[in-house]
């Protein structure tokens, strides 16, 4: 690597370190502005902002608290998706659809439980394993989607799809937050 490349890398790392240090401190003056600035850097700024600002129990605007809020929103959405898939499972007699809904119901339950584990890891500052939990829950979400193609070859019902899309969007926002915590 030449001197310009090395200098650029060092300067970039210093800026990232300064940003991380400032992002990890609580900001009291204008919480919403800070949250907005951070969320604007994610793949899903509106989803990130709405989730974090809806968490009235969040004590401060540091990255770990905001990531916790996003994981909790993901947990809530997967719980709703599980309940929706279970309702669909309970109310169908078609064998192929019943199999599809069962697989989806089970994977959404797994995702919900995995995210709950991730939340407990966040509480003890085990960010690396909390991130693993989020990624595992995301894989469960994809398993549910694939079940519709594999067993019944039908589209995902709108209500269930809505919960799943919201979960995926929250996962995309969480990815950025976890990068700041690593």
């Amino acid at each position: 690597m030449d001197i310009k490349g090395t200098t650029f890398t060092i300067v970039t790392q210093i800026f990232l370190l300064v940003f991380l240090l400032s992002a990890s401190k609580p900001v009291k003056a204008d919480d919403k502005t800070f949250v907005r600035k951070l969320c604007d850097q994610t793949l899903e700024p509106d989803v990130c902002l709405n989730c974090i600002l809806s968490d009235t129990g969040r004590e401060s605007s540091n990255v770990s608290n905001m990531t916790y809020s996003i994981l909790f929103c993901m947990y809530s959405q997967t719980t709703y998706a599980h309940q929706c898939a279970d309702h669909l499972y309970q109310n169908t007699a078609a064998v192929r659809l019943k199999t599809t809904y069962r697989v989806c119901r089970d994977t959404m339950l797994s995702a919900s439980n995995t995210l709950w584990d991730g939340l407990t890891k966040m509480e003890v500052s085990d960010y690396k394993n909390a991130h693993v939990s989020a990624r595992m829950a995301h894989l469960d979400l994809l398993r549910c989607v694939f079940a519709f193609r594999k067993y019944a070859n039908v589209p995902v019902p709108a209500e269930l799809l809505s919960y799943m899309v919201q979960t995926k969007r929250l996962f995309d926002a969480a990815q950025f937050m976890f990068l700041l915590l690593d």
Side-chain angles (χ1 to χ4, degrees):
M1 186 184 285
D2 63 9
I3 191 74
K4 289 181 183 178
T6 304
T7 304
F8 176 75
T9 303
I10 291 170
V11 169
T12 303
Q13 289 175 345
I14 290 171
F15 280 124
L16 181 60
L17 180 60
V18 168
F19 175 75
L20 291 174
L21 291 174
S22 66
S24 64
K25 296 177 185 173
V27 176
K28 296 178 183 174
D30 191 0
D31 181 63
K32 190 172 182 177
T33 301
F34 177 73
V35 172
R36 183 179 308 280
K37 283 181 182 178
L38 202 57
C39 284
D40 281 347
Q41 297 176 58
T42 70
L43 292 176
E44 295 289 346
D46 292 335
V47 170
C48 175
L49 186 65
N50 291 336
C51 171
I52 292 171
L53 293 180
S54 71
D55 183 359
T56 57
R58 183 175 46 88
E59 294 179 16
S60 64
S61 289
N62 64 38
V63 176
S64 64
N65 285 347
M66 291 188 288
T67 306
Y68 185 94
S69 296
I70 292 172
L71 282 186
F72 189 82
C73 289
M74 284 180 68
Y75 165 77
S76 298
Q77 292 299 312
T78 57
T79 300
Y80 298 146
H82 167 256
Q83 292 168 347
C84 184
D86 185 51
H87 177 74
L88 291 167
Y89 173 77
Q90 298 295 332
N91 292 299
T92 191
V95 175
R96 294 173 74 84
L97 278 177
K98 198 151 187 86
T99 300
T100 302
Y101 296 146
R102 180 188 46 78
V103 170
C104 187
R105 175 197 67 188
D106 293 349
T107 57
M108 288 295 89
L109 179 61
S110 174
S112 181
N113 289 337
T114 301
L115 286 166
W116 187 258
D117 289 343
L119 289 168
T120 60
K121 291 170 183 154
M122 287 295 298
E123 290 174 355
V124 294
S125 302
D126 185 359
Y127 306 130
K128 187 174 193 163
N129 284 318
H131 191 191
V132 169
S133 293
R135 288 190 305 238
M136 289 172 52
H138 180 251
L139 288 175
D140 280 336
L141 180 75
L142 295 176
R143 285 184 190 103
C144 177
V145 171
F146 294 142
F148 280 87
R149 182 78 169 169
K150 180 178 180 179
Y151 299 110
N153 201 19
V154 297
V156 179
E159 182 181 12
L160 178 58
L161 182 63
S162 173
Y163 296 130
M164 295 168 71
V165 167
Q166 191 69 2
T167 302
K168 168 66 169 110
R169 294 178 77 195
L170 287 159
F171 173 76
D172 290 342
Q175 290 293 85
F176 175 74
M177 298 296 186
F178 279 116
L179 288 175
L180 296 177
L181 291 172
D182 284 340

